[in-house]
Amino acid sequence: MRSLIFTAVIMAMLPAAFFSPFVGVLLWSYVSFGSPQRLTWGISDAIPFALVIGLTGILGWLVTERRKIPTDRTTWLLLAFVFAYTISTYFAIVPSEAWPKWWLITKSMIYVFITAALLTNRVRIHALLWVMVIAVSFYGIKGGLFTLYTGGNYRIFGPVETMIGDNNHIAAALVVILPLMNYLGRQSQNELLRLGSRAAIALCLLSVLASYSRGSFLGLIAMLPFLLQHSKRKLLSGVLIVMLLAFSISFMPTQWVERIQTIQTYQQDSSAEGRLEMWTAATKMAVARPLTGVGFKGPYIQTVMDKYSPGTTARAVHSIWFENLGENGFPALFLWIALAVVAIQNCRYIIRRTKNAPQLKWANDLAHMSLCGLVGFYVGGSFLSLSYWDFYFTLLVILAATRRIVVQELAPEAKWILFNRTAAAAAARARLAPQRPLGGTAD
Amino acid sequence: MESIFFLFGLMGVVLVVHWAVVNDRAGNHGKTTGLFAMRDAETETAKPAVKPPIHPSARPPQRG
């Protein structure tokens, strides 16, 4: 039944995706970030939804609304990153493993560029954020209720065979969307949505804890000072956040507390030690092949591992930084870091420029909350393999689009200020100039 | 239970798509309407504000 409804709804919206390609972007985002098709069985199994929606959207973009892909720092860096990992894949040690992953990532990247082209106004940005949040929070809300019901004795996982399937990955994804949910709640006029977003935040927070992911827990903690920074009533917000966190933690069983406490004694923990070992192995791979790394999936292949780091068991690198370094070499890592720097710069620029612009309060809120999400992702992601997460790249283009809108909106104002300043300077010069009598010369 | 959540999610996406199409013309300035309507500067300023006190010199002269 679920399968039939899902198929019917998506198929019914396909014509809209052609005539209004942004609808295609929204549908693609839902299918790509939330993988709802993984939760259906039956007729939907035979339909490649992502491909169908993707092709319809691209066709619509080419035929009905062909907007140029913006040429800002984010898109140039994304393009350079695609180029870097393509070169790395070409020289991969095991191409048969690398190319399928290349295709998986590249098709998402194509849509990231189309998203960048079609994010032309705040309504589109807002709608896309809603879809992104709905797609991922589904697992957080469901997991939060499950945690309440079972007392936190079971781990929360994401949709199987997807980028966020692992418990650590779904937890990191939820950490990123927590502040975005706060943004959507704050910006909604509808009281029910505002209340709903708060309830969803609480449930997703429980899910993050119930994932037993220590990295995401650290990401959550790292995010808090940034959340407080944005709050008008810092003390009250701080007390509320600490109370919510304390309540959630007190709800978790002792096995959870024991697991989190191993952060302090990571030298004795095999999982943490394994991560350090993999980071060392990834660095060795990058040092041996600095320009290209070993290619996608290299660290997962035992023969590759034996060549560069004998004695280490091949598995996931468990770090967004080292995964990039080992698989794609130093150029790709530097580009990835540059993307992160530009994203933070975009946030800071938007926050600074919109501080005194009430009409752009939404952009100010969005930049603040995105900054929190990014910090959570960089800290939490340091312990898990999510370097090529399309949700993250989409958030980067959202920030770039918001910056463009802010620049565009403040441009007339800036011109007016410049005009006023020039006029004021001219007046000051006139006042300072030696006075000449009216109707004649001084001498 | 999961099916209910699934349908809620799907319904939410359909509503967002509809909202985006209907409000697309509002762009960066216009007022948005519907379930996902955004708070805008007008909504913010429409809140009842406390009247600033009037300085006695600014008051109109009283007659009689």
Side-chain angles (χ1 to χ4, degrees):
Chain A
M1 189 65 181
R2 210 192 283 185
S3 169
L4 270 176
I5 293 173
F6 179 75
T7 310
V9 168
I10 297 292
M11 290 302 164
M13 287 203 285
L14 275 183
F18 176 75
F19 291 109
S20 172
F22 187 69
V23 172
V25 168
L26 294 177
L27 293 181
W28 167 273
S29 302
Y30 177 50
V31 168
S32 181
F33 305 145
S35 306
Q37 67 277 25
R38 300 268 174 197
L39 304 170
T40 60
W41 297 271
I43 185 174
S44 57
D45 278 347
I47 305 168
F49 285 100
L51 189 72
V52 172
I53 294 167
L55 288 177
T56 312
I58 291 173
L59 206 64
W61 177 59
L62 291 172
V63 177
T64 57
E65 193 185 341
R66 191 167 187 176
R67 286 183 193 269
K68 277 171 104 179
I69 295 170
T71 48
D72 51 35
R73 288 185 298 168
T74 305
T75 41
W76 277 119
L77 283 170
L78 279 172
L79 199 64
F81 181 64
V82 172
F83 182 72
Y85 76 64
T86 303
I87 297 287
S88 148
T89 310
Y90 184 76
F91 292 105
I93 293 180
V94 187
S96 59
E97 290 283 333
W99 282 110
K101 190 169 175 181
W102 176 88
W103 173 235
L104 196 74
I105 295 164
T106 305
K107 66 182 179 189
S108 298
M109 290 305 250
I110 292 171
Y111 242 84
V112 170
F113 286 112
I114 294 175
T115 305
L118 293 171
L119 277 179
T120 50
N121 60 43
R122 66 175 179 141
V123 171
R124 290 187 175 194
I125 290 175
H126 200 69
L128 180 59
L129 282 166
W130 265 113
V131 170
M132 288 164 77
V133 163
I134 290 172
V136 179
S137 68
F138 166 77
Y139 300 100
I141 294 169
K142 190 165 72 93
L145 288 172
F146 177 74
T147 307
L148 280 176
Y149 183 67
T150 58
N153 284 305
Y154 298 94
R155 287 189 189 190
I156 299 298
F157 288 89
V160 286
E161 291 173 29
T162 63
M163 273 198 188
I164 54 167
D166 186 69
N167 64 322
N168 295 307
H169 294 185
I170 185 70
L174 291 173
V175 166
V176 177
I177 66 156
L178 279 175
L180 296 179
M181 285 162 104
N182 190 28
Y183 157 78
L184 291 172
R186 286 166 71 113
Q187 285 301 318
S188 290
Q189 277 184 35
N190 190 304
E191 200 56 44
L192 203 66
L193 285 184
R194 294 163 77 92
L195 283 172
S197 77
R198 281 173 205 156
I201 287 173
L203 289 170
C204 287
L205 183 67
L206 264 181
S207 278
V208 173
L209 300 181
S211 70
Y212 285 69
S213 168
R214 291 165 295 181
S216 299
F217 182 72
L218 289 177
L220 201 63
I221 301 294
M223 204 167 75
L224 293 182
F226 290 87
L227 266 178
L228 283 178
Q229 197 189 2
H230 182 49
S231 175
K232 276 181 191 161
R233 285 165 289 183
K234 290 186 175 50
L235 190 69
L236 182 69
S237 307
V239 170
L240 280 174
I241 288 173
V242 169
M243 273 172 65
L244 182 65
L245 205 61
F247 172 75
S248 308
I249 290 172
S250 69
F251 186 78
M252 300 307 287
T254 46
Q255 68 202 49
W256 181 87
V257 179
E258 284 164 11
R259 171 101 179 143
I260 294 299
Q261 276 173 346
T262 57
I263 294 173
Q264 291 168 319
T265 55
Y266 69 92
Q267 296 96 333
Q268 295 153 24
D269 184 68
S270 61
S271 168
E273 275 292 294
R275 276 178 167 78
L276 290 175
E277 197 183 3
M278 282 307 289
W279 296 353
T280 314
T283 312
K284 283 180 186 167
M285 287 171 185
V287 169
R289 293 165 64 98
L291 292 179
T292 59
V294 292
F296 286 132
K297 289 277 181 187
Y300 293 83
I301 301 161
Q302 194 57 53
T303 48
V304 177
M305 190 58 85
D306 289 341
K307 192 174 172 187
Y308 296 100
S309 183
T312 308
T313 311
R315 57 182 183 278
V317 180
H318 283 301
S319 167
I320 46 177
W321 318 99
F322 288 100
E323 182 185 34
N324 237 316
L325 181 67
E327 289 191 339
N328 300 316
F330 286 99
L333 175 70
F334 291 146
L335 287 168
W336 205 94
I337 292 172
L339 272 167
V341 171
V342 167
I344 291 172
Q345 278 180 347
N346 281 345
C347 289
R348 290 171 65 90
Y349 176 88
I350 298 165
I351 292 168
R352 203 175 56 243
R353 293 296 306 272
T354 56
K355 207 161 41 178
N356 299 318
Q359 78 277 20
L360 289 167
K361 183 153 188 331
W362 67 272
N364 190 285
D365 266 359
L366 175 59
H368 265 292
M369 292 301 127
S370 301
L371 187 62
C372 295
L374 289 176
V375 168
F377 179 64
Y378 296 139
V379 174
S382 297
F383 308 96
L384 48 93
S385 312
L386 259 184
S387 318
Y388 319 109
W389 189 32
D390 45 359
F391 187 105
Y392 166 68
F393 294 126
T394 307
L395 188 58
L396 299 191
V397 297
I398 286 178
L399 285 170
T402 309
R403 181 180 173 141
R404 277 198 305 279
I405 291 173
V406 167
V407 170
Q408 196 183 314
E409 291 295 301
L410 293 178
E413 217 168 274
K415 270 184 198 163
W416 180 242
I417 290 167
L418 192 70
F419 170 75
N420 277 347
R421 278 186 190 160
T422 320
R429 273 199 303 276
R431 274 200 301 275
L432 289 172
Q435 293 290 318
R436 293 178 180 200
L438 287 167
T441 53
D443 41 341
Chain B
M1 191 67 177
E2 193 184 278
S3 291
I4 293 170
F5 280 121
F6 181 84
L7 289 179
F8 266 125
L10 188 62
M11 210 162 71
V13 171
V14 173
L15 289 172
V16 173
V17 168
H18 177 257
W19 179 81
V21 171
V22 169
N23 288 280
D24 198 30
R25 285 189 185 170
N28 295 325
H29 302 284
K31 209 170 158 57
T32 52
T33 54
L35 180 64
F36 300 98
M38 294 171 76
R39 292 171 81 178
D40 45 18
E42 273 176 38
T43 326
E44 296 291 317
T45 48
K47 282 179 186 170
V50 180
K51 263 188 170 180
I54 302 171
H55 193 271
S57 63
R59 283 191 188 134
Q62 289 182 346
R63 286 179 190 175

